[in-house]
Amino acid sequence: MSRERSPALPGQAPRMHDRLAQGGTATPQSLGAVAQGRREGRLASATHSNRSKLPRHRSIRHALQVLSLLSLGACSVGPDFQHPEATQVAAWATPQRAAASQAVDKAMQERWWEVFHDPQLSALSQRALTDNLDLQLATSRLQQSRAARQVITAQQYPSTSATGGYGRKRNSAEGLNDPSGNNGKSAFNLWEAGFSASWELDFWGRVRRETEAADARLEVAENDRRGVLLAVLAETAQDYIQLRGVQSTRAVTEQNLEVARHSLKLSQLRLADGVATDLDVAEAAAQVATIEARLPELQQRQAQLINALSLLLGEPPQALHQELASDAPVPQPPTQVAIGLPSQLAERRPDIRQAEAQLHMATANIGVAKGDFYPRITLSGNFGSQALQLADFGSWSSRQFGIGPQFSLPLFDGGRLRGVLHLREAQQQEAAVVYQQTVLRAWHEIDDQLTRYNASQLRRDSLAEAVRQNQIALRTAQQQYVEGVVDFVNVLTVQGALLTTQEQLVDSSAGVSLAMVGLYKALGGGWESVYPLQAPTPAS
């Protein structure tokens, strides 16, 4: 029976019985060589074992490095937003016949309502900035947009959670395996605790596009609040100017009522002297009643405007009656109205800024839709402890862990993703057209308000001359009536014409101020000092 020798491992000395089998002699030197060989063999074996473990560690480390580099250098699918180009006007329109107050291309005053130099108007505007309910609603919508942005941007970060629990359990003897080893014959305790984390690697930029869209949506809400602020300021100024106009009209009506009553007394005296007739007295009394009939309507209009201002300031009805019931003149505009440069319009009007932000959001949503076509890769891991006995819970032998990537790739969805992409592209085209339309409408509104401002001044000046001539005509007619040259019908005709032109003059004076408010509203200024632009929030 033959015996085969096992060959020595590389780096290992021949064993002692092999040497003896070859006819060698066991000398001290040979024994030392054998011992040395055994030590070298153990060292070589350990080295070989350690080297076998290194590739696994290196592969994990290399995989993490590759994932990190891919995450940092990942691209964002979809089109990048470009600021749109819109219709531009080189200079403001110049009227053929210029009025006294003209618009000039100087720096526009941010708090434009203060150019009227009316302390009451400035105080009401300031209160509207803090107490108006529409502004509070717009602020609430802005806060909602900020919270929504926070929800979306959180997807860029890893999510972590911790779990723990204890349970007294008993498994079925006929069901799944019993982890306690009791085969379902008795209950057992189960202690568990762990920590888990997951992170979606945004290789294709889908989450970054969602964050970009959330930033644009936040900008939409910010400009919406600026637009509400501008509308509230303009409406406050318009209601206040109309209120002062109604009070001025009422004052003029009361003055004409005194004149009509004086004419009635005069006709009654002339009737007593036998100079006038009953017809003259009846016509004079009818004129008094006609003028008196205008006063209730003016008082009603005054109460409505005071209530409108109370609503703008968040106050109950008639809350401002004592403050605003006293008569005051209509605020007048300055000689020069600074309206800035045409090139600043897109930066100033909230609706243009809002339309641009909506276009930005629509463009980013295309990238989100395209990102859904690509696989989603998630890196997840967990580490914890599980034990049947509390004494073993937390020990090294009770540890459990898991780590690894996961991915999901849409294969077939019946065309849903492609339909969403087409929808987002169509929405972007619509947003682009809306932006162009918004800019074009802004230019038309400004041009109309400039024409209105100039025309209202020319009309006011002509009516002022008409009032002056009617006053002269009334004095002349009254004098000729006393002298018996003309009958009382002429006096009534001239007095009615004077009342009409006086009311028109008051309306036109208020119209000039209202036109200037409309011009500032069309220009879009007034929000800069209240809701200034902030530095853009970095996309985290």
Side-chain angles (χ1 to χ4, degrees):
M1 184 174 180
S2 61
R3 296 177 55 188
E4 296 182 356
R5 298 188 303 271
S6 299
L9 294 175
Q12 180 180 1
R15 288 174 294 181
M16 184 62 189
H17 64 85
D18 292 336
R19 288 178 177 267
L20 293 176
Q22 295 175 1
T25 305
T27 63
Q29 290 81 3
S30 63
L31 293 175
V34 171
Q36 178 66 23
R38 289 177 177 174
R39 287 193 299 267
E40 292 177 357
R42 288 194 298 268
L43 179 60
S45 178
T47 303
H48 179 76
S49 176
N50 291 336
R51 286 178 179 174
S52 64
K53 297 178 180 179
L54 285 177
R56 292 197 300 269
H57 296 166
R58 289 177 179 174
S59 61
I60 295 175
R61 184 169 64 252
H62 290 166
L64 293 176
Q65 291 174 352
V66 170
L67 290 175
S68 300
L69 291 175
L70 288 176
S71 179
L72 291 175
C75 61
S76 295
V77 295
D80 293 327
F81 175 71
Q82 303 291 336
H83 291 281
E85 295 182 1
T87 305
Q88 293 291 337
V89 175
W92 304 118
T94 303
Q96 295 180 354
R97 180 187 171 191
S101 177
Q102 284 298 309
V104 294
D105 55 356
K106 294 182 180 179
M108 180 178 171
Q109 184 173 348
E110 294 181 356
R111 303 175 68 87
W112 52 263
W113 54 92
E114 295 181 352
V115 301
F116 290 104
H117 301 290
D118 190 313
Q120 188 71 56
L121 175 58
S122 299
L124 291 174
S125 300
Q126 188 62 37
R127 290 169 62 182
L129 295 178
T130 57
D131 301 335
N132 182 263
L133 298 180
D134 289 328
L135 275 177
Q136 295 179 18
L137 289 174
T139 301
S140 177
R141 291 193 295 269
L142 177 60
Q143 293 173 349
Q144 295 174 32
S145 297
R146 287 174 177 167
R149 180 192 180 276
Q150 183 179 2
V151 172
I152 293 175
T153 55
Q155 301 179 49
Q156 301 181 75
Y157 300 97
S159 62
T160 61
S161 61
T163 59
Y166 161 76
R168 179 72 176 173
K169 303 179 180 181
R170 178 172 178 172
N171 282 13
S172 170
E174 305 297 335
L176 300 177
N177 293 333
D178 189 347
S180 65
N182 299 329
N183 297 324
K185 297 179 179 179
S186 61
F188 61 93
N189 298 324
L190 183 62
W191 302 83
E192 291 181 304
F195 171 85
S196 61
S198 63
W199 182 26
E200 181 180 349
L201 304 177
D202 192 23
F203 287 137
W204 327 115
R206 182 186 60 84
V207 178
R208 288 192 293 274
R209 290 302 189 191
E210 287 184 346
T211 302
E212 183 181 353
D215 290 337
R217 190 177 297 107
L218 177 60
E219 189 174 354
V220 169
E222 289 176 346
N223 287 289
D224 174 70
R225 185 173 68 161
R226 295 185 181 114
V228 173
L229 170 66
L230 179 60
V232 168
L233 289 172
E235 189 173 354
T236 301
Q238 289 169 350
D239 288 348
Y240 179 80
I241 292 171
Q242 290 177 4
L243 173 63
R244 296 312 185 192
V246 169
Q247 291 175 342
S248 299
T249 301
R250 193 194 71 245
V252 169
T253 303
E254 290 174 348
Q255 292 175 3
N256 281 273
L257 180 60
E258 293 298 323
V259 175
R261 287 171 177 171
H262 176 73
S263 298
L264 176 60
K265 291 180 181 179
L266 179 61
S267 62
Q268 291 172 345
L269 291 175
R270 289 175 60 82
L271 177 63
D273 294 338
V275 180
T277 63
D278 292 335
L279 178 61
D280 294 339
V281 175
E283 290 176 340
Q287 181 76 348
V288 171
T290 301
I291 297 176
E292 286 180 341
R294 298 188 181 189
L295 291 177
E297 181 181 359
L298 294 174
Q299 293 171 353
Q300 175 190 0
R301 180 60 177 159
Q302 173 178 318
Q304 290 177 342
L305 289 170
I306 292 178
N307 282 341
L309 288 169
S310 300
L311 179 60
L312 287 172
L313 271 60
E315 298 287 347
Q318 299 298 325
L320 302 178
H321 179 77
Q322 184 176 0
E323 182 179 350
L324 299 176
S326 301
D327 293 353
V330 176
Q332 293 301 312
T335 305
Q336 289 187 340
V337 180
I339 61 175
L341 298 173
S343 58
Q344 300 172 340
L345 178 66
E347 301 177 0
R348 193 169 52 230
R349 274 192 59 135
D351 58 341
I352 296 180
R353 298 177 61 90
Q354 186 176 14
E356 182 178 351
Q358 289 172 339
L359 177 58
H360 190 176
M361 180 176 62
T363 304
N365 283 333
I366 294 178
V368 177
K370 288 187 175 182
D372 289 335
F373 285 89
Y374 294 85
R376 296 190 181 186
I377 302 175
T378 304
L379 187 64
S380 59
N382 62 81
F383 180 83
S385 176
Q386 185 183 72
L388 299 176
Q389 302 296 329
L390 181 60
D392 299 330
F393 184 71
S395 64
W396 185 247
S397 59
S398 67
R399 73 188 186 279
Q400 59 179 359
F401 73 92
I403 186 172
Q406 299 174 349
F407 80 95
S408 62
L409 175 65
L411 297 179
F412 178 76
D413 58 4
R416 182 184 63 85
L417 293 180
R418 189 164 298 278
V420 172
L421 177 59
H422 292 164
L423 173 63
R424 297 294 180 254
E425 291 173 344
Q427 289 174 342
Q428 185 205 31
Q429 295 175 1
E430 179 187 8
V433 175
V434 169
Y435 176 81
Q436 298 290 339
Q437 184 185 45
T438 303
V439 174
L440 186 60
R441 185 187 296 114
W443 289 120
H444 279 274
E445 290 179 359
I446 294 174
D447 188 77
D448 292 343
Q449 292 299 330
L450 285 172
T451 304
R452 175 190 174 193
Y453 182 61
N454 189 76
S456 61
Q457 294 181 75
L458 297 178
R459 180 173 182 269
R460 178 198 59 189
D461 297 340
S462 298
L463 287 172
E465 178 63 19
V467 168
R468 191 177 69 84
Q469 296 299 330
N470 281 331
Q471 289 174 341
I472 296 175
L474 179 60
R475 288 194 299 267
T476 302
Q478 289 174 339
Q479 182 65 31
Q480 290 179 352
Y481 174 70
V482 172
E483 295 174 354
V485 178
V486 296
D487 56 16
F488 195 67
V489 174
N490 291 332
V491 176
L492 294 178
T493 301
V494 175
Q495 186 175 359
L498 176 61
L499 176 59
T500 300
T501 53
Q502 284 179 328
E503 290 180 349
Q504 291 177 348
L505 177 60
V506 173
D507 290 340
S508 65
S509 297
V512 172
S513 300
L514 290 174
M516 198 190 80
V517 173
L519 177 59
Y520 274 119
K521 182 180 179 181
L523 291 169
W527 54 266
E528 296 89 344
S529 61
V530 183
Y531 301 137
L533 294 175
Q534 299 178 355
T537 304
S540 303

